[in-house]
Amino acid sequence: MYKFLRFPDFKLKAVTLSYDDGTVFDKKLISVLDKYGLKCTFNLNSELYSEHRRLSKEEATELYLDSPHEVAVHGAKHLSLTEVSPEVATREIITDRENLEKQFGRIVKGMAYAYGTYNDTVVEILKNCGVKYARTVESSNGFKIPTDWLRLSPTCRHAAPNLTDLTEMFLNYKKADFYMNNEPLLFYLWGHSYEFNDSDNWEIIENFAKKVGNRDDIWYCTNGEVYDYVKAFERLEYSVDGKIIKNPTDTDVYLCYHGKNVLVKAGKVTAIKE
Ligand SMILES: [Zn+2]
């Protein structure tokens, strides 16, 4: 499905992170990520500011607003959405979304499930609340581009014993190999920054960032950026003979089209040369 897709500048690999709860330890996490150029989506509970080691509202604004990172919904009060009525679940999502949009002055359309709990009813509620992508806690241990964006499987959490193995595997791919069906690779890491504090193991994220960060063969993106990019790719229109490609979106899309690098510019029609 994503055989022709490449990330910006024809890159074959992308890395995104997703961290939950908006605790004070996000400050240190961001300083590590920024040093190595990594980008993260921070999933926040807008009715729990200052509680349980969370940042205050003012601190959160200061930390995330002018950063390269994304803010997303994690439920206004961090409720398990499968254990409350649909009405309460709806409020939990829509209130968090609206609060964050007002606080940060941008569209907020991502989410991570509090406690990792969801079911089909909850997914329907998300759709009605305009949430476009939502992370679960079920590791894929792989690098596939998601197809079910409201049940996103991360590659792994940072505490996973196989993090180093997965990181090496990801970095060692020189080209999309047969196993991956020539598709580009996405490494999606998740966790909570307070785990680094509580387990006194900041070196996990420092080592990860050092290894995968600041490289010119990897695109560093938030969850929202990779979502928008893949959706732009999906909106490309092709002529019957496949030699004309129209990009109706506002995003430049990079392809490896039948073995050739092709840039399909935003809003343009591109003819494929023989
Ligand atoms: Zn949480």
Side-chain angles (χ1 to χ4, degrees), residues 20-21 43 45 54 74 78 112-116 135 190 192 194:
D20 297 356
D21 299 351
N43 306 294
N45 310 109
R54 284 180 177 80
H74 194 42
H78 203 283
Y113 293 104
Y115 307 104
R135 196 210 74 230
W190 80 280
H192 309 87
Y194 64 74

Side-chain angles (χ1 to χ4, degrees), residues 135-192:
R135 196 210 74 230
T136 70
V137 296
E138 290 127 32
S139 300
S140 69
N141 292 303
F143 315 114
K144 273 194 172 302
I145 306 285
T147 47
D148 189 350
W149 288 88
L150 290 174
R151 296 174 182 84
L152 267 183
S153 286
T155 302
C156 67
R157 60 188 300 173
H158 71 245
N162 59 345
L163 173 65
T164 309
D165 290 348
L166 286 166
T167 308
E168 293 299 327
M169 202 191 298
F170 178 76
L171 292 175
N172 287 334
Y173 276 112
K174 291 286 180 264
K175 59 186 179 70
D177 74 6
F178 182 72
Y179 170 73
M180 293 299 294
N181 198 26
N182 283 319
E183 293 181 6
L185 314 173
L186 174 67
F187 198 119
Y188 188 127
L189 185 71
W190 80 280
H192 309 87

Side-chain angles (χ1 to χ4, degrees), residues 5-261:
L5 174 67
R6 290 298 175 265
F7 296 120
D9 298 323
F10 302 109
K11 291 176 186 177
L12 191 58
K13 299 174 188 177
V15 172
T16 191
L17 287 84
S18 172
Y19 274 73
D20 297 356
D21 299 351
T23 65
V24 294
F25 308 105
D26 281 1
K27 287 185 191 173
K28 182 164 174 182
L29 176 58
I30 284 187
S31 74
V32 175
L33 301 181
D34 288 354
K35 186 172 167 196
Y36 296 101
L38 298 180
K39 289 199 194 176
C40 183
T41 295
F42 288 96
N43 306 294
L44 307 180
N45 310 109
S46 59
E47 290 185 345
L48 294 179
Y49 284 126
S50 303
E51 290 184 34
H52 308 294
R53 304 191 287 177
R54 284 180 177 80
L55 297 160
S56 69
K57 186 177 179 184
E58 294 67 33
E59 286 171 323
T61 304
E62 198 188 327
L63 184 63
Y64 309 115
L65 183 62
D66 292 320
S67 80
H69 309 286
E70 178 186 21
V71 294
V73 169
H74 194 42
K77 293 183 187 297
H78 203 283
L79 302 181
S80 171
L81 300 177
T82 54
E83 288 162 40
V84 294
S85 69
E87 291 83 350
V88 172
T90 303
R91 184 196 174 276
E92 181 71 358
I93 298 161
I94 204 78
T95 305
D96 204 28
R97 188 176 168 212
E98 188 174 21
N99 286 344
L100 293 172
E101 289 187 338
K102 284 192 178 135
Q103 184 180 347
F104 293 95
R106 60 181 73 148
I107 292 173
V108 173
K109 60 185 183 182
M111 181 170 144
Y113 293 104
Y115 307 104
T117 52
Y118 64 97
N119 55 28
D120 291 348
T121 306
V122 169
V123 170
E124 279 309 305
I125 292 170
L126 260 59
K127 284 183 195 165
N128 291 333
C129 292
V131 173
K132 303 294 186 192
Y133 42 93
R135 196 210 74 230
T136 70
V137 296
E138 290 127 32
S139 300
S140 69
N141 292 303
F143 315 114
K144 273 194 172 302
I145 306 285
T147 47
D148 189 350
W149 288 88
L150 290 174
R151 296 174 182 84
L152 267 183
S153 286
T155 302
C156 67
R157 60 188 300 173
H158 71 245
N162 59 345
L163 173 65
T164 309
D165 290 348
L166 286 166
T167 308
E168 293 299 327
M169 202 191 298
F170 178 76
L171 292 175
N172 287 334
Y173 276 112
K174 291 286 180 264
K175 59 186 179 70
D177 74 6
F178 182 72
Y179 170 73
M180 293 299 294
N181 198 26
N182 283 319
E183 293 181 6
L185 314 173
L186 174 67
F187 198 119
Y188 188 127
L189 185 71
W190 80 280
H192 309 87
S193 59
Y194 64 74
E195 295 174 64
F196 300 121
N197 176 73
D198 297 359
S199 306
D200 193 20
N201 60 8
W202 281 98
E203 72 276 4
I204 290 183
I205 195 67
E206 280 158 0
N207 290 340
F208 178 81
K210 208 181 282 180
K211 265 191 224 163
V212 307
N214 287 339
R215 294 169 60 112
D216 55 16
D217 62 339
I218 295 176
W219 181 44
Y220 305 103
C221 50
T222 64
N223 291 199
E225 286 165 345
V226 69
Y227 170 85
D228 284 342
Y229 187 77
V230 172
K231 289 294 154 187
F233 166 78
E234 288 176 355
R235 284 185 61 201
L236 296 181
E237 296 165 9
Y238 300 83
S239 63
V240 175
D241 67 4
K243 291 183 179 161
I244 302 169
I245 307 176
K246 180 180 171 179
N247 181 351
T249 77
D250 63 357
T251 305
D252 289 347
V253 178
Y254 296 76
L255 306 178
C256 180
Y257 195 62
H258 300 295
K260 255 190 283 185
N261 281 347

